[in-house]
Amino acid sequence: MKVKVDLSRCEANAICMEHAPEVFKVDDDDNIHILQESPTEDLRPRVDAAVRLCPRHALTIENN
């Protein structure tokens, strides 16, 4: 899987970081960073939750 963020939609709510802190980080300046662009499958449930719960629908997963 490959994780993508639409920066024009992201509001840096950090909900993604709550669900998958290994993959997402929101810094003190409210910038989102993808720490693992292609996380391992064992993280899929957490990444799926982060994508599903993003209030601005800024996150997507592409399957390889």
Side-chain angles (χ1 to χ4, degrees), residues 1-59:
M1 86 179 114
K2 186 171 183 175
V3 180
K4 295 198 171 208
V5 62
D6 181 342
L7 295 175
S8 69
R9 290 179 159 266
C10 180
E11 291 182 333
N13 293 308
I15 291 171
C16 56
M17 195 170 81
E18 291 175 22
H19 291 279
E22 308 89 345
V23 179
F24 304 100
K25 180 178 180 179
V26 177
D27 66 22
D28 293 337
D29 294 323
D30 288 338
N31 296 308
I32 188 169
H33 301 277
I34 298 180
L35 303 175
Q36 294 185 52
E37 191 174 279
S38 297
T40 56
E41 282 298 317
D42 62 312
L43 292 174
R44 184 175 284 274
R46 292 188 219 169
V47 174
D48 283 343
V51 170
R52 186 176 65 254
L53 296 170
C54 177
R56 298 284 297 155
H57 306 287
L59 303 173

